[in-house]
Amino acid sequence: EDQVTQSPEALRLQEGESSSLNCSYTVSGLRGLFWYRQDPGKGPEFLFTLYSAGEEKEKERLKATLTKKESFLHITAPKPEDSATYLCAVQPSGQAGTALIFGKGTTLSVSS
Amino acid sequence: DTGVSQDPRHKITKRGQNVTFRCDPISEHNRLYWYRQTLGQGPEFLTYFQNEAQLEKSRLLSDRFSAERPKGSFSTLEIQRTEQGDSAMYLCASRSGSGETQYFGPGTRLLVL
């Protein structure tokens, strides 16, 4: 069964304290892995798409990496405005509809 | 604004009533998805349209749920005889035929009393 597990469930950081979020996945074949940011009461906001092991993408303080079994979202010198829930999703290959399978998310709180 | 829009943003209804939600995708996107998200969970897939054709439905989509995309543009999701367990955020997403990334709307939060 295709599955996505994110850890930790919650993470508290001080402003400037770098850390990483983990996304482990089990799929029969991977078409793509996606990271989204979700603020309370809002829809997910797209961050990154990764397609193959070894690929990396960066945007401001965020960097996403991908291996054959997991992805990491590295947050460098976070600021309070980075506080949000970060969702990881996979798109299995072979699924006609290309529906995403999401993890439960990691809720990040950054205090000043 | 060229993003995905959803209406209404909030809906409170009584158990047994019918509700309908609307989604307007990004204009050039021919693929449209509906997801449902409950508190503390990630979004769960409900159904998928390519143009006006509904090509995939999740087993989560009971007979009380129906979705349409009559002209391949906006879509509606109707829930008949609502139950308290239907309380959730209903999310719509769209993507183009050439890309894999799905872009989400702001969601419709449903509360069934």
Side-chain angles (χ1 to χ4, degrees):
Chain A
E1 181 184 352
D2 299 328
Q3 196 170 0
V4 177
T5 302
Q6 291 188 246
S7 62
E9 290 185 9
L11 181 62
R12 291 183 180 272
L13 299 175
Q14 291 289 319
E15 185 172 3
E17 180 186 2
S18 301
S19 187
S20 296
L21 282 55
N22 177 265
C23 171
S24 299
Y25 62 90
T26 305
V27 290
S28 51
L30 182 69
R31 178 175 288 186
L33 184 141
F34 304 81
W35 283 98
Y36 290 86
R37 169 192 170 130
Q38 187 172 32
D39 292 306
K42 298 188 177 181
E45 175 188 348
F46 169 71
L47 292 174
F48 302 109
T49 306
L50 301 167
Y51 292 105
S52 57
E55 190 173 359
E56 299 182 351
K57 293 272 181 75
E58 282 189 71
K59 178 181 179 182
E60 296 180 350
R61 296 178 293 282
L62 300 177
K63 179 180 177 180
T65 62
L66 180 64
T67 72
K68 289 186 178 180
K69 291 187 177 182
E70 58 190 351
S71 176
F72 291 94
L73 185 66
H74 307 278
I75 303 177
T76 302
K79 298 182 177 182
E81 53 261 44
D82 294 322
S83 298
T85 295
Y86 290 86
L87 295 167
C88 172
V90 297
Q91 185 179 71
S93 60
Q95 284 212 14
T98 68
L100 298 179
I101 299 171
F102 281 85
K104 293 183 179 182
T106 294
T107 299
L108 173 66
S109 299
V110 182
S111 55
S112 56
Chain B
D1 186 5
T2 58
V4 178
S5 61
Q6 292 187 244
D7 184 68
R9 293 293 311 279
H10 304 275
K11 179 70 176 180
I12 300 174
T13 191
K14 293 182 179 179
R15 188 178 56 182
Q17 296 295 305
N18 300 344
V19 294
T20 300
F21 309 141
R22 176 180 171 124
C23 171
D24 287 89
I26 294 170
S27 59
E28 64 269 24
H29 287 184
N30 64 342
R31 310 199 182 191
L32 187 146
Y33 302 78
W34 285 98
Y35 291 83
R36 180 172 67 188
Q37 185 177 26
T38 54
L39 207 60
Q41 303 295 314
E44 294 179 295
F45 169 73
L46 292 177
T47 191
Y48 159 66
F49 289 86
Q50 183 172 322
N51 299 312
E52 67 276 7
Q54 187 175 20
L55 298 185
E56 192 173 347
K57 291 194 290 186
S58 164
R59 57 182 172 79
L60 291 176
L61 208 68
S62 77
D63 292 343
R64 296 185 297 105
F65 287 68
S66 63
E68 293 183 340
R69 195 182 183 197
K71 296 184 179 180
S73 56
F74 73 92
S75 175
T76 58
L77 177 68
E78 181 183 16
I79 309 174
Q80 295 182 329
R81 305 181 303 282
T82 52
E83 303 173 355
Q84 288 184 326
D86 296 331
S87 296
M89 173 80 90
Y90 289 84
L91 294 162
C92 176
S94 71
R95 73 173 179 96
S96 71
S98 58
E100 300 292 348
T101 300
Q102 296 180 25
Y103 296 90
F104 284 82
T108 295
R109 182 167 293 283
L110 173 66
L111 177 60
V112 182
L113 301 176

